[in-house]
Amino acid sequence: YLPLRTGRTAIGVVGLDNDKQGPLLTPEQQRLLDALADQAAVAIERIQLVADVDRAKLAAEADRLRSALLTSISHDLKTPLAAIMGAAGTLREFAPALPEHDRAELLTTVLDESERLNRFIANLLDMTKIESGAMEPNYAFHYVGDIVGSALQRARKIIAEHNTETDIPSDLPMLKVDPVLFEQALFNLLDNAAKYAPAGSTIRVQGWTDNGSVLLQIMDEGPGIPPGDLERIFDTFYRVRKRDQVRAGTGLGLSICRGFIEAMGGTITAANRTDRSGAVFTIKMPKPANPPNFDASNTDDLGDLA
Ligand code: ADP
């Protein structure tokens, strides 16, 4: 038996056996084996150390995520909850004495803030799905215009105070995507455009094809994104400015967008407009090799977009 030893510790033992009688190894073989055992021990220890470092890095990353999550949760759960509790409490105490209009407004607050909570929790769940690799896109061919339409419809309350402009040519090739994931990515971009660009400004959605890709852009007329942050905004929990913290948000929206779009084989990038102030998000999806030739008027072919 030969110990596998390093300067720090013993890593293991190598046992040798032989059917023949007599000494197992010549002195030369013994020396060679000792040298091999030493090298093997060092190599094994190195592998173990690398694994230890990786584990430590992962644990530190998980800790960072956990504390960012807690900060975000305490802010993003508490703000709408405080509004809901305030409105519900006022209604219970004073409803009979309040004018109809005020009662309706308080109820609207309860509903709007509940929706906000709902979105936040849905985002958290999406994020955990992406991070655990548990997301399995459900692919089918869909018209880009249809998915844009349903995202705009879902976001209609959020973008009610903005103008919207869409330019999606009807002859854009169909995309092989999961409509739920794609719509969620668009919804998050529309949500941001509405959140960071002032009311009354225009949110534009445009699509075109380019060299085997279908491109989709969402642009707003807000302050845009500092050039140094264009890549980092896609990081989990990253938010650009201090004052962005005042607006409800988690820094999850864009990392979910990227997670979903990349899971479907596309890319998403951020930039600033050159014609005026504003952010532009560009989604690039591969054009499917042979998209089916569906009749656009037959919506049965398109699957369930709800
Ligand atoms: P959230 O909006 O919840 O903070 P996101 O991941 O959606 O999280 O966005 C990350 C950050 O990127 C935002 O906090 C904001 O600073 C910046 N950002 C995103 N979209 C826009 C936009 N359309 N205009 C300006 N800044 C934006």
Side-chain angles (χ1 to χ4, degrees):
Y1 289 98
L2 273 176
L4 293 179
R5 257 192 312 244
T6 68
R8 279 188 344 143
T9 177
I11 299 277
V13 176
V14 178
L16 289 175
D17 196 5
N18 195 340
D19 293 340
K20 284 185 249 145
Q21 292 289 318
L24 203 54
L25 299 169
T26 63
E28 186 136 329
Q29 284 173 324
Q30 170 91 39
R31 266 199 305 282
L32 181 64
L33 201 65
D34 278 342
L36 279 178
D38 284 351
Q39 294 292 326
V42 170
I44 294 172
E45 185 182 52
R46 192 166 297 166
I47 291 169
Q48 286 178 346
L49 286 177
V50 169
D52 284 353
V53 170
D54 280 352
R55 253 197 306 278
K57 265 199 207 141
L58 269 181
E61 173 77 356
D63 263 1
R64 197 184 61 78
L65 274 180
R66 201 170 303 130
S67 71
L69 184 63
L70 281 178
T71 319
S72 152
I73 286 183
S74 50
H75 178 265
D76 290 281
L77 285 181
K78 267 164 101 181
T79 318
L81 266 182
I84 293 169
M85 282 160 69
T90 311
L91 274 172
R92 194 183 60 185
E93 298 277 306
F94 307 109
L98 286 174
E100 178 63 34
H101 167 262
D102 289 359
R103 279 206 302 263
E105 204 158 279
L106 286 167
L107 282 173
T108 308
T109 304
V110 172
L111 282 176
D112 285 353
E113 295 298 314
S114 307
E115 270 173 29
R116 172 133 69 102
L117 268 185
N118 202 16
R119 282 205 299 279
F120 172 63
I121 291 165
N123 269 352
L124 278 184
L125 292 179
D126 285 346
M127 203 62 235
T128 46
K129 267 195 232 152
I130 295 177
E131 285 187 348
S132 66
M135 206 184 43
E136 293 228 350
N138 194 358
Y139 291 110
F141 283 100
H142 291 276
Y143 286 106
V144 180
D146 284 338
I147 308 185
V148 170
S150 56
L152 283 167
Q153 171 66 14
R154 212 180 116 206
R156 70 188 180 286
K157 270 206 219 148
I158 299 167
I159 54 177
E161 288 171 17
H162 292 73
N163 306 310
T164 47
E165 231 175 64
T166 51
D167 178 10
I168 313 281
S170 57
D171 60 351
L172 272 193
M174 296 179 101
L175 288 183
K176 197 169 184 195
V177 292
D178 179 321
V180 177
L181 301 188
F182 205 82
E183 185 193 306
Q184 184 63 45
L186 291 180
F187 178 88
N188 288 0
L189 294 177
L190 292 171
D191 187 25
N192 279 347
K195 207 155 60 176
Y196 299 109
S201 63
T202 300
I203 301 170
R204 185 176 160 80
V205 186
Q206 59 186 25
W208 73 98
T209 49
D210 180 39
N211 254 341
S213 303
V214 174
L215 290 110
L216 199 61
Q217 259 182 353
I218 283 119
M219 47 173 79
D220 61 50
E221 299 178 344
I225 297 151
D229 286 316
L230 286 171
E231 197 39 47
R232 275 200 301 189
I233 51 171
F234 291 98
D235 290 353
T236 319
F237 298 118
Y238 188 78
R239 310 195 71 195
V240 174
R241 308 167 190 85
K242 260 272 168 290
R243 72 187 158 80
D244 289 346
Q245 314 283 349
V246 180
R247 296 167 202 253
T250 53
L252 281 179
L254 289 178
S255 48
I256 289 171
C257 276
R258 179 163 273 179
F260 283 2
I261 295 295
E262 288 184 351
M264 293 184 285
T267 58
I268 175 167
T269 49
N272 286 304
R273 292 178 70 157
T274 46
D275 56 331
R276 51 160 302 139
S277 126
V280 195
F281 288 87
T282 308
I283 296 175
K284 190 170 175 182
M285 298 298 297
K287 201 153 71 172
N290 37 14
N293 208 1
F294 284 147
D295 174 3
S297 61
N298 180 2
T299 47
D300 285 351
D301 290 337
L302 304 178
D304 182 10
L305 289 180

